[in-house]
């Protein structure tokens, strides 16, 4: 089983509002992208070798060399390609560069502190035969559906809802078929495209540390919570 991890890292990080793209923003002096790739390459079962064979990063077009140099300086082998203008396009460009793979993970650079056990658990579930696997957490807050004017139109049953993290793991042919079938769809996540093909999606428990760093609040939390 060759396992290739795609890392969409080409976003600008508008909501974070730093002067560099989000993947290059440091936590404890180390760019988020480096934390994320290190986590992928250190994922392993007890006593076994690493479960991710190769990493393909989609970097901001303006910062491909910077991303490449940061990973090389950290001693992390990864192929770095230029990303696109949407996350979907970045994933597609990384997938095109992935070469032979039987299992593909898609893992946001912004989820830089995902515990390696979660990565290993996703790979294990796909290896065991699930065509698509996503880590999820229960929803802590009550969620309302509202109309365009902000009036409440419904209250979904929270027990049926999950928030989705990454890495999302797929049999490589399934993810390739999803991207070939829905080439321009930026309205959903990778598992959403796969779901539309009618492929079953398995959930496994996620982890609070797999939070997506989106805002300056998240960045401040990461600085205090996670090792450098
Ligand atoms: N991403 C990407 N290419 C894009 C947009 C996003 O590879 N054109 C990546 C981001 O780098 C990030 C992941 O997709 O690792 C999740 O996206 P998000 O958290 O929304 O990051 P940004 O798009 O950078 O942030 P914002 O939406 O606040 O601008
Ligand atoms: Mg975004």
């Amino acid at each position: 089983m060759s396992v290739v991890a795609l890392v969409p890292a080409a976003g600008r990080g508008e909501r974070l509002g730093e002067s560099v793209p989000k993947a290059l923003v440091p936590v404890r002096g180390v760019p988020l992208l480096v934390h994320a790739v290190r986590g992928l390459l250190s994922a392993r079962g007890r006593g076994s070798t690493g479960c991710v064979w190769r990493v393909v990063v989609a970097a901001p077009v303006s910062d491909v060399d910077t991303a490449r140099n940061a990973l090389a300086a950290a001693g992390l082998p990864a192929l770095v390609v230029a990303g696109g203008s949407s996350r979907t396009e970045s994933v597609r460009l990384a997938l095109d560069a992935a070469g032979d793979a039987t299992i593909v993970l898609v893992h946001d650079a912004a989820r830089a502190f995902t515990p390696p056990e979660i990565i290993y658990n996703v790979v294990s579930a796909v290896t065991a035969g699930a065509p698509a696997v996503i880590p999820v957490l229960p929803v802590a807050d009550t969620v309302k559906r509202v109309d365009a004017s902000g009036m409440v139109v419904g209250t979904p049953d929270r027990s049926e809802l999950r928030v989705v993290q990454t890495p999302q793991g797929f049999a490589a042919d399934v993810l390739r078929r999803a991207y070939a079938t829905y080439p321009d769809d930026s309205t959903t996540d990778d598992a959403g495209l796969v779901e539309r093909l009618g492929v079953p999606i398995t959930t496994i428990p996620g982890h609070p540390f797999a939070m997506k760093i989106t805002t300056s609040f998240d960045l401040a939390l990461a600085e205090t919570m996670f090792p450098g």
Side-chain angles (χ1 to χ4, degrees), residues 34-153:
V34 170
H35 288 289
V37 173
R38 185 179 288 137
L40 284 164
L41 290 173
S42 61
R44 66 198 67 241
R46 194 165 294 171
S48 68
T49 52
C51 61
V52 173
W53 292 29
R54 269 184 306 121
V55 174
V56 182
V57 173
V61 183
S62 54
D63 290 275
V64 172
D65 285 341
T66 310
R68 210 170 263 152
N69 293 340
L71 291 164
L76 298 170
L79 176 64
V80 181
V81 299
S85 57
S86 67
R87 182 184 180 280
T88 314
E89 203 181 330
S90 296
V91 172
R92 190 201 339 279
L93 289 163
L95 187 59
D96 288 346
D100 280 348
T102 48
I103 293 174
V104 176
L105 303 183
V106 186
H107 186 43
D108 291 333
R111 297 185 189 273
F113 301 100
T114 302
E117 308 87 87
I118 302 297
I119 297 162
Y120 176 77
N121 291 344
V122 171
V123 173
S124 295
V126 184
T127 305
V133 177
I134 60 175
V136 300
L137 288 178
V139 174
D141 297 314
T142 299
V143 174
K144 298 288 186 195
R145 202 169 326 105
V146 296
D147 65 15
S149 64
M151 296 302 289
V152 171
V153 294

Side-chain angles (χ1 to χ4, degrees), residues 11-15 22 87 212:
R12 304 307 307 174
E14 305 279 349
R15 287 168 288 181
K22 185 161 70 177
R87 182 184 180 280
K212 184 154 71 75

